[in-house]
Amino acid sequence: MTPLERALRDRILSEGPMTVEAFMAACNDYYYATRDPLGASGDFTTAPEISQMFGELVGACLADCWARAGKSPDAIYVELGPGRGTLVSDALRVMRSAGFDPAVHFVETSPVLREAQAAAVPGASWHDEIASLPEAPTLLVANEFLDALPVRQFVQGVERKVTVAAGGLAFDRDGEIVETSPAREDAVSQIAKRLGACGGVALIIDYGHPKSASGDTLQAMHAHNFSPVLDRPGEQDLTAHVDFEAVAKAARVAGASVTPLAPQGQWLERLGISARAQALSKTHPERAGEIESARARLCEPDQMGTLFKAMAIHSPNWPAPLGFE
Ligand code: SAH
């Protein structure tokens, strides 16, 4: 039994079954606080860890917005859940060469990952929550952040809970599931209000669906394999598909403009990933095969190209980022 499972069993025995939302929040808090989950030796790999091209194109996209919005000298770069700091390192290289050298602010709760981020970006500032970010024109990135925020699940209108069963933990009911995520909507609404008040854009990249629909999307990854959600609490990554219709609605209600949703592959192609791959292969001919397979992994429909999607939220008086239409 994992240490967290023991704690959750005690909690359920004294307080009664806990909601899926509380279970997911407790598991992920413990999980991220105690490890670096990324890469071959971890549980999962993300786009910036696959290739430098991902962060570079994000950096180029943001630098272009910043330039078209008038090159504000006070603009800051914000990243939510920056992992190892790989995306920001690649993005900063490109932004700086475009004349944009922003102060860097991270929203990150994991002490282990904060350490990796400090090594990647000396001089960055950290925040526990979006609310404590400084008020300045903001260029924000959230890659695979919203999928880690907790979801509520309902079966025929009744909230689904986790209870103690003979061999471990069990769900108290099954059936057709409807998911909502107040935590995500709250995060998006805070971002949108900030962009409205201070100016700026936010790029949200994650896996998920374009329209709200019923279905159980909660999943666990352990050592790069899917695993039952209730196994090994706190020792595997729990995520749920992002409902981009709900994200767009939360942003609009908070007064922001929202771009169309783009499949990740199409978005990266429009930003020029093929040209970037060719240029990299020219300077590193010995790595040409590796570069092409990274491009394919990020862009091809049978890999990350379609399941992953990108959407931008921007203040109504800032231009929409490139790549969405
Ligand atoms: N964006 C990175 C890492 C994705 S993993 C990449 O693409 O590689 C999810 C990230 O979100 C981790 O950095 C994790 O520590 C952070 N995170 C998860 N839940 C969080 C929360 N509630 N508040 C702040 N950060 C959180």
Side-chain angles (χ1 to χ4, degrees):
M1 200 183 293
T2 65
L4 182 66
E5 180 168 2
R6 205 175 304 277
L8 293 178
R9 285 176 71 106
D10 290 348
R11 174 170 163 188
I12 292 167
L13 291 172
S14 74
E15 294 170 20
M18 66 196 294
T19 61
V20 167
E21 181 185 42
F23 173 79
M24 186 174 174
C27 288
N28 276 349
D29 283 350
Y30 182 93
Y31 175 79
Y32 285 108
T34 50
R35 77 208 67 214
D36 172 355
L38 292 154
S41 61
D43 293 318
F44 60 98
T45 300
T46 56
E49 301 295 332
I50 291 169
S51 167
Q52 69 186 76
M53 295 186 287
F54 187 81
E56 289 171 346
L57 293 170
V58 165
C61 183
L62 293 180
D64 167 71
C65 282
W66 170 78
R68 283 190 286 139
K71 304 197 173 183
S72 163
D74 308 323
I76 59 172
Y77 173 93
V78 172
E79 193 172 335
L80 310 182
R84 289 179 171 169
T86 307
L87 193 166
V88 60
S89 305
D90 294 330
L92 273 176
R93 230 177 20 251
V94 172
M95 293 189 297
R96 285 175 181 152
S97 71
F100 178 36
D101 190 6
V104 173
H105 291 267
F106 295 138
V107 176
E108 174 62 69
T109 43
S110 165
V112 179
L113 290 171
R114 278 188 180 201
E115 232 172 89
Q117 293 153 18
V121 187
S125 308
W126 283 265
H127 305 265
D128 287 329
E129 47 192 26
I130 295 167
S132 65
L133 287 165
E135 291 185 4
T138 297
L139 289 298
L140 182 147
V141 184
N143 186 60
E144 290 211 49
F145 173 75
L146 293 180
D147 66 13
L149 299 187
V151 293
R152 298 176 73 179
Q153 291 192 327
F154 297 88
V155 177
Q156 289 178 332
V158 181
E159 185 148 20
R160 199 176 190 216
K161 293 184 174 169
V162 175
T163 183
V164 171
L169 299 173
F171 290 112
D172 70 343
R173 66 194 70 233
D174 288 314
E176 166 118 338
I177 286 170
V178 172
E179 289 175 351
T180 65
S181 180
R184 269 181 210 155
E185 283 168 31
D186 180 53
V188 171
S189 162
Q190 286 188 57
I191 294 166
K193 284 184 187 146
R194 183 164 286 274
L195 298 180
C198 308
V201 308
L203 298 175
I204 298 189
I205 309 130
D206 222 311
Y207 78 117
H209 38 267
K211 294 268 167 232
S212 304
S214 63
D216 178 7
T217 77
L218 184 57
Q219 67 179 44
M221 289 291 275
H222 181 71
H224 300 268
N225 289 305
F226 290 109
S227 161
V229 166
L230 298 179
D231 280 8
R232 298 185 206 91
E235 305 294 334
Q236 50 185 15
D237 184 48
L238 294 185
T239 59
H241 284 224
V242 171
D243 173 352
F244 279 101
E245 184 177 351
V247 167
K249 188 172 164 207
R252 282 197 194 100
V253 166
S257 303
V258 178
T259 65
L261 185 65
Q264 172 171 294
Q266 226 175 63
W267 184 59
L268 294 175
E269 291 293 357
R270 287 179 187 144
L271 291 177
I273 194 170
S274 289
R276 181 70 190 124
Q278 274 167 18
L280 274 177
S281 298
K282 224 173 181 169
T283 25
H284 305 280
E286 74 291 351
R287 288 178 45 212
E290 174 206 322
I291 291 163
E292 167 49 24
S293 57
R295 189 211 57 80
R297 194 160 164 204
L298 294 173
C299 295
E300 293 302 325
D302 59 341
Q303 303 197 51
M304 294 173 76
T306 304
L307 176 60
F308 281 78
K309 297 172 177 72
M311 175 184 268
I313 298 171
H314 58 102
S315 110
N317 49 11
W318 270 54
L322 294 177
F324 293 95
E325 317 215 45

